[in-house]
Amino acid sequence: MKTLLHYLFLLCFNILRPAVHSQCINDQQQSLLHLKKSLQFDQPSSLISWNSSTDCCSWVGVTCTSDGHVVGLDLSSKTISGPIPGSFANFSNLRVLDLSRNNISSPIPGSFASFSNLRVLGLSWNNISGTVPRFFANFSKLTSLRLSGCRLNGTFPNEIFQVPTLETVYLGSNYELGGSLPEFPKNNGSLRSLILRQTNFSGSLPESIGNLKMLSTIDLSNCSFHGSIPSLLFSLPLLSQLNLSHNQFSGELAFSNVSSNLVTLDLSFNNLEGQISVSIFNFQGLQSLNLSSNNFTAFLFNGPQQLKNLTNIDLSYNSLLSLYNGTDSSYSSFPQIDSLNLAANKLGTIPYFLRDQFALSSVDLSENHIRGKIPDWIWSSNQLSTLNLSCNYLVALDAPLPNSTVETVDLHSNQLQGKIPTFPPYAKYLDYSRNNFSSIPLNIGDFLTKTLFFSLSKNNLHGLIPASICNASNLQILNLSNNSLSGMIPQCLTAMRHLSVLNLARNNLTGSISNVEVTEDSSLQILDIGGNQLDGKVPKSLAKCTMLEVLNIGNNNITDSFPCLLKNISTLRVLILRSNNFYGGIECLNTNGTWPELQIIDLAHNNFSGEIQGILWRTWRKMMATENGSPSTILSGNAVSSYAIESCKQPFNRRCYGRVDDRASYAYDGSSLEYGVSVIVTSKGFEMELVKIISIFTLIDFSSNNFSGPIPKEMGEFKSLRVLNLSRNAFTGEIPSSFSNMRVLESLDLSQNKLSGCIPPQLAELTFLSFLDLSYNQLVGKIPTSNQFSTFPPSSFTGNKGLQRFPLTVDNKAGFPPPSTVNGRSPDSGHHHEVNWDLISAEIGFIVGFGVAVGSLVLCKRWSKWYYRAMYNILLKIFPQLEERIGIHRKHVHINQR
Ligand SMILES: *[C@@H]1O[C@H](CO)[C@@H](O)[C@H](O)[C@H]1NC(C)=O
Ligand SMILES: *[C@@H]1O[C@H](CO)[C@@H](O)[C@H](O)[C@H]1NC(C)=O
Ligand SMILES: *[C@@H]1O[C@H](CO)[C@@H](O)[C@H](O)[C@H]1NC(C)=O
Ligand SMILES: *[C@@H]1O[C@H](CO)[C@@H](O)[C@H](O)[C@H]1NC(C)=O
Ligand SMILES: *[C@@H]1O[C@H](CO)[C@@H](O)[C@H](O)[C@H]1NC(C)=O
Ligand SMILES: *[C@@H]1O[C@H](CO)[C@@H](O)[C@H](O)[C@H]1NC(C)=O
Ligand SMILES: *[C@@H]1O[C@H](CO)[C@@H](O)[C@H](O)[C@H]1NC(C)=O
Ligand SMILES: *[C@@H]1O[C@H](CO)[C@@H](O)[C@H](O)[C@H]1NC(C)=O
Ligand SMILES: *[C@@H]1O[C@H](CO)[C@@H](O)[C@H](O)[C@H]1NC(C)=O
């Protein structure tokens, strides 16, 4: 009866109003306007179409039944912020409610319990917190529950999985939302998509997941599942995407009847082991197979396969000893694939089936145990673009066919010898570093016309740098460091327009650098010519390098006064003049230039002299920035762990630097990758972010000069200074008490000066201080005993006549002359507080150079695949010393030059 009345009422109502299709009912319009009023928007214009002068059923996001009742509200991406208002409760007939991609921050309100007709609920990508309410299980018609990318937590109510109509469940990226999967009853599956990636779901997968016969997409990656993978999972008839990566699944893989619809299979980053069974080839539709980072020992294939669509195979980071060599016919029936990654296995030879691969564009066989000669046929694929054979034991290489299309060749860390082979002029990235090559062909540059990156670092190269290298006009990064190259630096080299990183460090280069010419529009960001036998003066034209960030001319024989001409380079971050014959004062009177970015200045082991005016410091703003970080990692290997953000299960491969995880994030502003780059490098089971280290590391080293006068008290303003070394000068006066403002100071060396007075008790406030040397001065009074001070050994204070330690012991050695010095350095001084320059510049360079090279490479699509690895490798290759830094837990880092 009631229904009939209601029907009649509706009928009348419709007759009274003009019969327009799904015209809005007044009370619904009022409710919608009320809703609009109660919502908060970041952009108020979001719902401008919700205007009382128009039909509310025509408003954006509103769906009505034909009788004008609102049944759908799609308010996704409408810049809604704040909590979910109660006024949604007025729409209890809703079938679709989508609030995805807003900025909503509140728990899911209890009033949602009234939406019992709801089919689709979308709340993804908001700041919604709290738990997932149990009442969703009462929504008997629910087909799609989308809650990804919120901040939900607690346990997911498993009753919801019992809703018989449920097809899609998206819970991904709720890092604190967890639970375990329930048993799924037989014949109860309408579930098609189950996305739980990046949640805290755990436990083992129930065998009964095989009852969900409709499942086509499963993504359980980055959760905490363990146990074996139920073999029934692989036989789900409609399954097309299966991603179980980054869990702790273990045991051997077992497939029985496999789904021929499977397109992508990703089981990477688990603890799976044993053989990869030949039945994997029964996934006839497979396009992408990723079994990387497990512990598989063999990949068996024999007999014909029908994997016509397979294009990508990633078996990297396993323990594969060999790929089954099978028979000739099984080789030729191996699918023609596009990319093959076998990095970091235990292969002893290059898999022979590659010989018959004509569509390969990318092959990675790095970090295996491959010996012998690189076979010619490796170049035979018509598509080959990237070949990585780095970190093996290869000894010989023929030049590839002159028609080879290869663009990226990485052969670093092998035992290749003889003359460098030339490559067809398509190569953009050539890394021959860490081999045993002995000479460079004179015409090398003619083959590098497209090359952006070229490294020959750490070989055994002798002879001159061929001037033809200047014909490589696109070169952005050139690294010839750590060889025995001799002769002069070719004049044209520094004049190359696109070159941003030039590293010639640690060779046997001679001659004067006074005449080095840099062009007006120079792109140079890093110039490292340290550790040679160069003489002359700092070239005047360097002042034109307006983008220069790192200049290392240390460990040469340069005789000059302080290079004031560099003062106008406002981008300078690192200046190393160490171990030359620089002389005179370091004041620059005729310039207003400042070094606001300066982080590292090393003038040690020169003949600089005179007093230092406090005003000098005032312009080094970077060092004055307040810094409340944690200890840097530069000084001691121990500190590496302070940057450990996540343990990594892949063992660190010293020969090959470690690995970069593709979780690394980066900021790319369209033209270059800048300081936002966050590179995660694994070392000794830890991952660390290099960027962090680079951006905070600051150092002043003026040791072993003839500076005199008092230490300016303004130095205390360097609130972000980590290392200060003023030892072996002739400083007088007291230690400024303002030093206590250098809150993050980790190493302070004032030894072998003529400092007098007491040790300011405020120094005890420097809680980061882990190295202190005040020895061989004329200090008097008591040594503070609080905090760090009690941990410093007596040698930190020795050679000060008047200094007393509690309990009162007069220093026996006081009054004796300082220990004999070798090359101006005392025999026991070369540790701990001294810093290996190679390492520092490496890390600074990491960022600078990277932006340079990869910024442009990423634009090129082929390269982007390769991106993360390149990102990591490039700078390591510019400054190979970084390997040692992250490779060895050295307690004491020391200078290994000279
Ligand atoms: C509604 O739309 C009409 C015509 O488009 C416009 O004149 C009126 O100002 C709008 N009202 C509001 C409240 O935006
Ligand atoms: C969920 O997060 C809220 C804060 O957003 C917190 O108060 C609550 O304790 C958390 N619940 C659980 C189970 O972690
Ligand atoms: C291979 O891919 C094509 C095109 O995507 C598709 O039509 C075909 O069915 C696939 N082959 C198999 C065996 O799935
Ligand atoms: C991998 O398996 C081998 C034996 O098959 C075993 O010795 C080794 O410890 C395993 N490695 C890991 C990381 O589980
Ligand atoms: C595979 O190669 C190894 C070593 O070359 C050989 O001993 C073995 O017989 C080969 N197996 C087959 C099936 O050809
Ligand atoms: C290069 O030339 C060789 C022989 O001349 C030929 O077999 C091969 O297919 C060619 N490769 C490409 C990529 O054109
Ligand atoms: C460096 O060059 C000098 C002569 O210029 C030569 O005597 C010396 O052996 C070379 N050193 C190395 C390591 O090649
Ligand atoms: C360094 O240069 C000076 C002159 O500038 C010269 O006398 C001296 O021999 C040079 N030292 C070396 C090691 O080349
Ligand atoms: C430095 O600045 C002062 C005042 O701003 C100006 O008079 C002087 O010419 C400047 N000196 C140089 C070398 O630019």
Side-chain angles (χ1 to χ4, degrees):
M1 194 62 190
K2 207 171 176 186
T3 328
L4 185 66
L5 279 176
H6 184 64
Y7 178 72
L8 284 174
F9 169 78
L10 282 182
L11 194 66
C12 298
F13 192 83
N14 276 339
I15 289 168
L16 290 174
R17 311 188 106 237
V20 175
H21 178 65
S22 74
Q23 193 154 40
C24 185
I25 302 172
N26 193 41
D27 77 311
Q28 298 277 291
Q29 170 164 331
Q30 289 313 315
S31 301
L32 286 169
L33 288 173
H34 180 57
L35 174 65
K36 177 179 174 182
K37 215 175 249 168
S38 61
L39 288 169
Q40 297 170 28
F41 298 94
D42 291 336
Q43 282 168 20
S45 59
S46 288
L47 288 184
I48 202 154
S49 75
W50 289 29
N51 176 331
S52 54
S53 63
T54 54
D55 176 6
C56 75
C57 290
S58 70
W59 293 353
V60 160
V62 177
T63 312
C64 298
T65 51
S66 55
D67 59 9
H69 283 86
V70 173
V71 290
L73 279 178
D74 178 356
L75 300 180
S76 58
S77 304
K78 293 289 180 294
T79 76
I80 300 170
S81 60
I84 299 176
S87 40
F88 275 106
N90 295 334
F91 303 94
S92 56
N93 284 325
L94 278 185
R95 293 177 195 164
V96 175
L97 174 59
D98 194 348
L99 296 171
S100 305
R101 294 178 196 281
N102 283 294
N103 199 12
I104 296 168
S105 52
S106 69
I108 299 170
S111 60
F112 273 27
S114 62
F115 294 141
S116 54
N117 278 320
L118 214 55
R119 270 78 161 168
V120 176
L121 177 61
L123 299 174
S124 303
W125 307 106
N126 279 292
N127 277 324
I128 294 172
S129 56
T131 54
V132 177
R134 249 161 237 285
F135 58 68
F136 287 163
N138 303 333
F139 294 1
S140 60
K141 296 168 189 146
L142 192 66
T143 60
S144 179
L145 181 61
R146 302 180 193 156
L147 304 175
S148 303
C150 292
R151 292 188 304 159
L152 295 164
N153 64 3
T155 306
F156 183 80
N158 274 341
E159 301 94 301
I160 296 174
F161 285 116
Q162 315 296 341
V163 175
T165 49
L166 202 59
E167 291 177 6
T168 51
V169 176
Y170 296 163
L171 304 177
S173 302
N174 285 288
Y175 297 90
E176 288 169 38
L177 177 63
S180 57
L181 290 182
E183 293 293 334
F184 297 99
K186 261 200 155 69
N187 304 324
N188 173 24
S190 53
L191 202 60
R192 292 170 195 277
S193 293
L194 179 60
I195 311 287
L196 306 182
R197 76 167 155 257
Q198 293 174 326
T199 59
N200 202 16
F201 272 86
S202 58
S204 54
L205 293 190
E207 279 285 336
S208 58
I209 201 166
N211 291 334
L212 298 170
K213 295 286 186 232
M214 306 299 285
L215 266 178
S216 82
T217 304
I218 304 178
D219 186 345
L220 309 183
S221 61
N222 285 288
C223 293
S224 306
F225 288 107
H226 60 79
S228 59
I229 301 175
S231 63
L232 284 175
L233 195 56
F234 299 105
S235 47
L236 290 171
L238 301 176
L239 194 62
S240 91
Q241 314 281 338
L242 177 58
N243 186 348
L244 304 181
S245 65
H246 291 277
N247 280 288
Q248 284 110 46
F249 288 113
S250 56
E252 303 207 358
L253 275 189
F255 319 109
S256 40
N257 284 329
V258 305
S259 159
S260 57
N261 282 310
L262 197 66
V263 174
T264 350
L265 177 59
D266 187 348
L267 305 179
S268 60
F269 291 91
N270 280 291
N271 301 323
L272 300 167
E273 58 190 16
Q275 297 182 349
I276 299 167
S277 147
V278 65
S279 34
I280 204 152
F281 289 103
N282 296 337
F283 293 111
Q284 289 185 14
L286 203 60
Q287 288 175 12
S288 168
L289 174 64
N290 188 351
L291 302 178
S292 160
S293 302
N294 281 288
N295 196 11
F296 289 115
T297 46
F299 182 37
L300 300 179
F301 65 91
N302 56 1
Q305 293 90 29
Q306 292 103 41
L307 293 174
K308 299 270 181 304
N309 286 356
L310 188 62
T311 53
N312 297 300
I313 301 182
D314 188 349
L315 300 173
S316 60
Y317 293 89
N318 276 292
S319 305
L320 300 176
L321 271 172
S322 65
L323 299 190
Y324 186 52
N325 41 6
T327 60
D328 277 354
S329 66
S330 68
Y331 284 133
S332 50
S333 65
F334 198 85
Q336 293 289 326
I337 49 181
D338 171 59
S339 110
L340 176 68
N341 189 349
L342 288 166
N345 278 289
K346 296 176 177 163
L347 301 178
T349 55
I350 296 179
Y352 198 64
F353 76 87
L354 288 181
R355 204 186 168 122
D356 298 316
Q357 292 288 321
F358 301 110
L360 265 181
S361 76
S362 164
V363 182
D364 190 345
L365 291 165
S366 60
E367 295 180 62
N368 277 287
H369 306 306
I370 302 172
R371 296 177 183 278
K373 185 170 180 260
I374 299 174
D376 294 343
W377 51 255
I378 197 94
W379 311 105
S380 60
S381 161
N382 300 326
Q383 319 279 320
L384 191 65
S385 146
T386 300
L387 177 66
N388 189 349
L389 294 172
S390 62
C391 304
N392 280 292
Y393 302 96
L394 296 160
V395 292
L397 158 75
D398 287 336
L401 299 171
N403 58 0
S404 168
T405 52
V406 68
E407 290 183 348
T408 301
V409 181
D410 191 346
L411 302 176
H412 83 263
S413 302
N414 278 287
Q415 293 157 10
L416 300 168
Q417 21 184 298
K419 203 173 191 178
I420 305 273
T422 51
F423 269 86
Y426 303 104
K428 292 194 170 137
Y429 180 103
L430 288 174
D431 189 352
Y432 301 145
S433 62
R434 292 160 186 268
N435 277 288
N436 224 349
F437 285 118
S438 53
S439 69
I440 313 179
L442 285 181
N443 61 349
I444 184 96
D446 303 336
F447 295 88
L448 300 174
T449 51
K450 296 236 162 65
T451 309
L452 308 174
F453 176 97
F454 188 46
S455 176
L456 298 177
S457 158
K458 289 209 167 175
N459 274 283
N460 191 20
L461 298 171
H462 284 81
L464 307 177
I465 299 174
S468 76
I469 229 163
C470 303
N471 298 343
S473 54
N474 285 306
L475 213 52
Q476 296 184 3
I477 296 181
L478 176 64
N479 186 357
L480 303 176
S481 66
N482 294 284
N483 283 290
S484 302
L485 295 167
S486 53
M488 316 250 289
I489 298 174
Q491 282 259 338
C492 60
L493 207 51
T494 44
M496 290 173 70
R497 283 225 349 263
H498 298 294
L499 202 64
S500 7
V501 178
L502 177 59
N503 189 350
L504 305 175
R506 287 167 301 280
N507 275 289
N508 203 4
L509 299 170
T510 51
S512 167
I513 58 165
S514 310
N515 301 325
V516 163
E517 265 306 319
V518 175
T519 48
E520 208 64 60
D521 50 357
S522 164
S523 314
L524 267 184
Q525 294 186 25
I526 301 179
L527 178 61
D528 189 347
I529 52 177
N532 283 287
Q533 290 155 34
L534 300 164
D535 51 33
K537 289 170 183 275
V538 177
K540 296 245 174 329
S541 68
L542 268 188
K544 295 182 200 161
C545 293
T546 50
M547 295 159 81
L548 198 65
E549 299 192 20
V550 178
L551 177 65
N552 181 3
I553 54 179
N555 295 289
N556 279 294
N557 192 19
I558 295 163
T559 308
D560 199 353
S561 54
F562 189 73
C564 287
L565 57 96
L566 302 176
K567 267 282 174 160
N568 285 323
I569 303 179
S570 58
T571 49
L572 200 68
R573 298 170 72 197
V574 178
L575 176 65
I576 300 171
L577 307 179
R578 187 184 186 86
S579 294
N580 280 290
N581 306 317
F582 283 97
Y583 56 85
I586 59 172
E587 246 98 303
C588 297
L589 299 176
N590 295 320
T591 171
N592 290 338
T594 66
W595 282 328
E597 300 296 325
L598 197 69
Q599 279 177 259
I600 290 172
I601 179 165
D602 185 350
L603 310 179
H605 295 278
N606 279 292
N607 298 317
F608 285 116
S609 58
E611 296 196 7
I612 299 174
Q613 304 300 320
I615 190 77
L616 178 69
W617 313 125
R618 285 267 158 80
T619 62
W620 298 356
R621 285 202 298 274
K622 181 89 179 183
M623 298 201 194
M624 287 163 32
T626 318
E627 173 70 59
N628 51 1
S630 42
S632 74
T633 70
I634 306 294
L635 294 182
S636 77
N638 282 346
V640 167
S641 54
S642 63
Y643 282 89
I645 48 178
E646 202 182 334
S647 71
C648 170
K649 51 180 131 169
Q650 294 309 323
F652 177 74
N653 182 337
R654 222 178 90 65
R655 248 175 10 99
C656 232
Y657 313 131
R659 76 182 292 212
V660 163
D661 196 301
D662 47 3
R663 276 171 284 177
S665 61
Y666 60 95
Y668 180 54
D669 69 6
S671 58
S672 69
L673 284 150
E674 270 297 325
Y675 307 115
V677 177
S678 151
V679 182
I680 298 173
V681 179
T682 59
S683 158
K684 291 278 173 193
F686 292 113
E687 294 181 345
M688 56 185 178
E689 267 180 285
L690 289 182
V691 170
K692 220 163 173 177
I693 304 169
I694 298 156
S695 59
I696 63 173
F697 193 70
T698 47
L699 173 148
I700 295 178
D701 190 346
F702 286 2
S703 63
S704 300
N705 279 287
N706 297 316
F707 289 113
S708 55
I711 298 174
K713 65 178 188 313
E714 287 83 352
M715 217 158 201
E717 289 171 28
F718 289 159
K719 296 193 208 64
S720 64
L721 194 63
R722 301 272 170 173
V723 178
L724 176 60
N725 188 347
L726 302 177
S727 66
R728 281 167 244 127
N729 279 288
F731 286 110
T732 54
E734 302 194 351
I735 300 173
S737 59
S738 63
F739 271 24
S740 61
N741 296 330
M742 297 192 278
R743 291 287 167 188
V744 294
L745 200 65
E746 293 173 46
S747 171
L748 175 62
D749 190 346
L750 303 176
S751 64
Q752 298 188 46
N753 280 290
K754 295 174 182 153
L755 298 171
S756 53
C758 301
I759 299 175
Q762 293 93 330
L763 282 195
E765 293 162 24
L766 299 177
T767 50
F768 280 14
L769 204 60
S770 62
F771 179 88
L772 175 72
D773 193 347
L774 302 177
S775 62
Y776 300 101
N777 278 292
Q778 288 145 24
L779 298 169
V780 296
K782 281 206 176 118
I783 298 171
T785 49
S786 49
N787 294 335
Q788 306 298 91
F789 266 74
S790 53
T791 66
F792 298 126
S795 60
S796 293
F797 307 100
T798 193
N800 287 287
K801 209 180 234 159
L803 219 43
Q804 293 167 353
R805 201 173 172 93
F806 188 83
L808 203 126
T809 53
V810 177
D811 193 330
N812 281 335
K813 282 202 223 137
F816 284 78
S820 64
T821 58
V822 182
N823 294 340
R825 305 207 281 139
S826 61
D828 64 343
S829 72
H831 60 81
H832 200 228
H833 58 303
E834 296 202 16
V835 169
N836 185 337
W837 275 122
D838 304 347
L839 306 187
I840 303 298
S841 53
E843 292 180 347
I844 301 279
F846 200 107
I847 295 310
V848 184
F850 190 59
V852 179
V854 178
S856 51
L857 300 185
V858 168
L859 298 175
C860 163
K861 192 153 186 272
R862 266 200 160 151
W863 280 78
S864 60
K865 248 198 242 176
W866 216 72
Y867 167 70
Y868 289 113
R869 225 184 153 92
M871 161 150 126
Y872 172 56
N873 285 340
I874 283 178
L875 266 287
L876 286 169
K877 286 164 186 169
I878 303 172
F879 298 100
Q881 295 74 20
L882 187 54
E883 176 191 328
E884 278 118 55
R885 192 19 246 309
I886 61 178
I888 310 174
H889 258 271
R890 275 190 301 189
K891 188 127 186 138
H892 305 309
V893 182
H894 56 87
I895 297 193
N896 60 2
Q897 305 170 5
R898 284 223 161 160

